[in-house]
Amino acid sequence: MTKIAVLSDIHGNMTALEAVLADARAARVDEYWLLGDILMPGTGRRRILDLLASLPITVRVLGNWENSLWRGLHRKLDPTKASHRYLLRQCQYILEEISPEEIEDLHNQPMQVHRQFGDLTVGITHHLPDKNWGRELIHTGKQEDFDRLVMDPHASIAVYGHIHQQFLRYGSDGQLILNPGSIGQPFFLDARLRKDLRAQYMILEFDEAGLSDVDFLRVDYDVEAELQLAKDLKLPYFQIYYESLINGIHHTHNQELLYEIAQEQGHDAELDAWLDGGNN
């Protein structure tokens, strides 16, 4: 039997990750799959990378926030857009503890990996096999987009992240499609469901007969401790992070709000000094 903890969308939430890993250890998992979006916009930098390096991670795929971090490093974001300035300031924060070479390593991950368990092929992605960002695979997505997860090559099971919701549905030919949810930033449209923002992950168990268990898990963690850590570390755009952890609302594309916060908190001045200095 093989027991796998599937981790996705940590988004720098160090406190949530520690709670999930404690839960996974108690469940005696054998290995870990990491589905991307490891850093940003939370507190975790060096501590997260060191913690992940200590785990038996057997699968890693590229998340869209790894793309954003890499693009920020190489000045490939548009500094005239408030949302891009937000990402650039996050990149500046990451670079206080993590080297450009490590960012390159985070970026040099495959978009899709396949694992074999007996006759079962499992396809693993962050989002689509050739596109790790976008909204194609949200709960109301088109069936043909979900079918792309289990084609070329054929897979009986697909596992993906990105949408921040625990999820189970089927492909057109009955293939199983699973999402472990988000460790760092769970998301719900329904306001009542959004009251439960515990860290999410998934455990898969395979035995000689096939997939013996799928366990969607939610783990309590100390949200106030994570927010205090964010204050202590002077996390940029603290208000945005607070709103995501307390209310489950994400403003990373709210151009007007991001602009206002950058002006009020001095992030624009910090970022301009960094960009003008040309230092990584």
Side-chain angles (χ1 to χ4, degrees):
M1 177 179 291
T2 302
K3 184 180 285 191
I4 303 157
V6 184
L7 315 176
S8 191
D9 297 276
I10 301 165
H11 283 288
N13 189 333
M14 186 67 202
T15 311
L17 176 61
E18 289 176 330
V20 163
L21 294 181
D23 192 76
R25 285 193 295 270
R28 298 183 180 275
V29 303
D30 301 301
E31 61 185 80
Y32 296 81
W33 293 354
L34 188 57
L35 305 191
D37 285 7
I38 298 166
L39 305 174
M40 301 196 306
T43 60
R45 295 174 288 183
R46 169 60 51 206
R47 287 176 63 195
I48 280 187
L49 293 194
D50 288 348
L51 186 53
L52 293 175
S54 72
L55 302 176
I57 295 174
T58 57
V59 168
R60 292 181 65 167
V61 292
L62 179 66
N64 58 296
W65 280 68
E66 281 80 58
N67 280 135
S68 294
L69 180 57
W70 183 88
R71 292 174 67 204
L73 172 68
H74 291 283
R75 308 293 198 269
K76 294 180 180 293
L77 296 172
D78 184 353
T80 67
K81 294 181 179 179
S83 58
H84 284 211
R85 293 184 71 83
Y86 166 78
L87 291 170
L88 282 163
R89 183 65 184 90
Q90 296 291 339
C91 177
Q92 182 186 11
Y93 174 78
I94 293 296
L95 283 163
E96 292 174 6
E97 293 191 0
I98 293 173
S99 70
E101 292 76 18
E102 289 171 303
I103 292 175
E104 293 288 347
D105 181 64
L106 289 170
H107 186 256
N108 291 334
Q109 302 299 324
M111 295 280 284
Q112 185 175 42
V113 174
H114 287 86
R115 287 285 304 274
Q116 197 73 27
F117 297 89
D119 293 333
L120 295 176
T121 299
V122 183
I124 304 150
T125 57
H126 181 70
H127 187 235
L128 291 167
D130 59 353
K131 180 175 179 280
N132 61 8
W133 57 274
R135 295 173 52 82
E136 289 89 345
L137 300 182
I138 62 173
H139 66 288
T140 56
K142 297 177 181 178
Q143 184 66 47
E144 54 261 36
D145 287 322
F146 284 95
D147 287 343
R148 293 176 61 190
L149 298 174
V150 291
M151 299 168 60
D152 300 323
H154 170 84
S156 296
I157 302 170
V159 177
Y160 76 104
H162 188 57
I163 65 168
H164 293 210
Q165 293 176 298
Q166 292 177 326
F167 191 75
L168 184 155
R169 68 176 287 168
Y170 291 90
S172 292
D173 294 327
Q175 303 96 332
L176 182 62
I177 299 172
L178 302 167
N179 193 303
S182 171
I183 291 175
Q185 293 185 324
F187 172 73
F188 300 94
L189 284 175
D190 185 273
R192 293 176 180 84
L193 289 175
R194 201 160 56 236
K195 292 179 179 180
D196 179 0
L197 296 176
R198 289 175 290 177
Q200 303 172 349
Y201 80 113
M202 178 173 69
I203 293 179
L204 303 178
E205 290 188 42
F206 293 89
D207 61 16
E208 295 78 7
L211 179 62
S212 60
D213 194 18
V214 177
D215 197 358
F216 291 109
L217 295 150
R218 297 186 183 185
V219 181
D220 280 315
Y221 73 97
D222 192 337
V223 177
E224 292 301 327
E226 175 65 16
L227 290 173
Q228 185 59 52
L229 182 60
K231 290 179 181 178
D232 294 342
L233 294 174
K234 296 180 172 55
L235 181 72
Y237 294 87
F238 173 82
Q239 299 96 317
I240 299 296
Y241 196 51
Y242 176 94
E243 188 75 6
S244 68
L245 298 195
I246 296 297
N247 296 317
I249 298 172
H250 310 294
H251 292 295
T252 52
H253 298 289
N254 186 330
Q255 305 290 339
E256 291 184 7
L257 179 60
L258 291 172
Y259 175 80
E260 290 174 7
I261 292 173
Q263 292 290 303
E264 292 172 1
Q265 301 299 319
H267 297 318
D268 272 346
E270 296 165 340
L271 180 60
D272 287 339
W274 181 61
L275 294 173
D276 290 344
N279 295 319
N280 289 335

